[in-house]
Each structure stands twice: as C-alpha cells, then as structure tokens.
Amino acid sequence: MQIPPGQHVLRNFIYYSALKPPEVDLSKYRFEVSVNVENPMSFTYDELISMIDFKGKINFHCVTGWSVLGVEMEGVTFKKISDIVKPNGKYAYFISLDGYTTVVPYEDFVKGFLWLRMNGKPLSYEEGFPARPFFEHLYAWKSAKWVTKLQFLDEYRDGYWEMYGYHERGNVWLEERFKNEEAKRLRKSPM
Ligand SMILES: Nc1nc2c(c(=O)[nH]1)N[C@H]1C(S)=C(S)[C@@H](COP(=O)(O)O)O[C@H]1N2
Ligand SMILES: [Mo]
C-alpha cells in the first residue's frame, strides 16, 4: 500500500479538538444544506443513516504526519447529496456544532462523503458523532467533526485552520500542507 509523502503509519487515531467539544442532542440535530442550493434540505440523523450509499476501507492522513490505514467507513456520498440539493458555487464550506469550520474546493468535495459509521458502529462522540465529512485524498483537518451545516460559496473563505496558513485544498499526494512558505513559518501548532 502506498503512503503519501511525509506520512508515517499509526495503529490508532490521535483525537484532536481545537475548540471546546460541543454538546450533541440527537433529537435537535440536523445536517443543514441551505446556502447557494436549488433545493434547501435539512436532514435528520435517521434520514442520513437511511441514505448511506458508501462503504469501504479508507485511509486517514493528518497533516502533522500520522496516518491510520484501512478504516472501514460508511456514509452518504456528496455526489448523492449534490444530486438532491443541486448546489451552485466553487467551494463547499462546513460548519460544526463547536464552531469549527473548513473549506473544500467543489471538485474535491464531490469525491467525498458524509462519514456516519466506522468499523460497523456509529462514530463515537470523540470521533465526531453524529457526522463529519471525509475526503481520502485530503488531509483530515478537512474532516470537520460534529458537522451540522454545509454551505456553498462563490468566493473562497478560510475555515479554522486555513486562517492559520493551512492550505485551501490540502491534497495529501501533492503535500499541500500550507498555503505558502510564509504560512508554514508562521504556523500555529499542534493541530
Ligand atoms: N470540530 C473539529 N473537527 C476537527 C478538528 C477539530 O479540532 N475540531 N480537527 C481536525 C484534525 S486536524 C484532524 S487530524 C481530525 C482528527 O480526527 P480524530 O480526532 O477523529 O482523530 O479531525 C479534524 N476535524
Ligand atoms: Mo490533523
């Protein structure tokens, strides 16, 4: 199996939460997709579970250099969600219950999925229950835990780590860790 440049393999995840972990009330939880779309939608957790159309062994890469390989993930493809909401715009922007945000270019967004289940079980709270986006070819900071909103942007906007110099896209094979050398020098870590 090929490992992206600059990564080493770990057996287990290292949990990260840059902000205070949020309270999650599943009865109130919605995954809302209503900005810059033709058909605004607000999905409950049960609706998302009933829409699962992806299951596979996926590799997870944190930009700080560790990777976890072969995680069994299940979720709803963003292709399927896009077919329902019919988005406009050049970027997908994710907002989490804790206020964490991140941004993904549209071409990369459609390759990903909304991750709901891991190794046959719902995501645990620490892993971002109820849901988080996932993109195997992008660093894991693009996987916003406890995600609750997906918006589409006409103009690029920084999310949480992008504000501290991390890359607009974050492709793991191209080692898009930082926006530029200046950003790398000034980086805020750890993440
Ligand atoms: N809400 C939220 N999502 C987040 C983060 C965070 O701090 N807050 N950290 C990101 C980073 S840098 C990584 S590597 C992964 C870590 O996922 P894990 O805690 O399941 O290992 O979550 C990403 N999503
Ligand atoms: Mo990370």
Side-chain angles (χ1 to χ4, degrees):
M1 193 184 290
Q2 230 194 317
I3 314 292
Q7 296 296 112
H8 61 272
V9 176
L10 296 186
R11 202 185 289 268
N12 294 112
F13 293 93
I14 299 171
Y15 292 115
Y16 280 116
S17 184
L19 306 170
K20 185 173 171 284
E23 277 184 31
V24 178
D25 177 347
L26 203 54
S27 66
K28 296 207 191 94
Y29 177 80
R30 296 290 182 277
F31 180 62
E32 189 187 307
V33 195
S34 60
V35 173
N36 222 350
V37 296
E38 276 173 44
N39 296 319
M41 293 293 291
S42 184
F43 301 99
T44 65
Y45 181 68
D46 288 348
E47 284 168 344
L48 294 171
I49 290 289
S50 73
M51 288 163 63
I52 289 176
D53 64 341
F54 173 80
K55 179 176 180 175
K57 294 254 185 221
I58 293 286
N59 302 328
F60 181 111
H61 309 290
C62 170
V63 69
T64 58
W66 57 271
S67 297
V68 176
L69 305 181
V71 183
E72 195 204 87
M73 299 188 185
E74 289 170 73
V76 185
T77 59
F78 287 130
K79 174 80 178 58
K80 180 166 182 166
I81 290 176
S82 295
D83 287 346
I84 297 170
V85 301
K86 303 196 187 330
N88 300 299
K90 298 201 203 60
Y91 294 88
Y93 190 81
F94 295 95
I95 302 175
S96 296
L97 293 169
D98 56 348
Y100 184 87
T101 51
T102 192
V103 62
V104 175
Y106 190 79
E107 314 80 80
D108 298 279
F109 164 76
V110 287
K111 295 180 188 163
F113 58 93
L114 187 67
W115 178 16
L116 296 162
R117 295 174 60 83
M118 167 164 154
N119 299 327
K121 290 181 295 216
L123 288 174
S124 69
Y125 172 73
E126 293 78 10
E127 286 151 4
F129 178 84
R132 61 195 289 188
F134 201 80
F135 309 92
E136 191 174 30
H137 68 299
L138 305 182
Y139 291 111
W141 92 79
K142 302 289 183 180
S143 176
K145 303 196 285 187
W146 313 292
V147 75
T148 187
K149 285 184 181 150
L150 161 60
Q151 305 182 339
F152 295 93
L153 310 178
D154 293 323
E155 300 283 344
Y156 175 81
R157 188 199 303 156
D158 279 338
Y160 183 84
W161 284 114
E162 293 83 10
M163 209 166 59
Y164 293 108
Y166 287 86
H167 200 274
E168 296 89 338
R169 177 171 54 185
N171 184 298
V172 300
W173 300 102
L174 303 175
E175 279 208 87
E176 291 173 336
R177 298 175 195 268
F178 301 99
K179 286 175 178 160
N180 50 49
E181 284 305 309
E182 171 76 351
K184 179 175 180 175
R185 201 169 54 76
L186 296 173
R187 76 180 179 274
K188 178 187 168 187
S189 55
M191 69 186 293

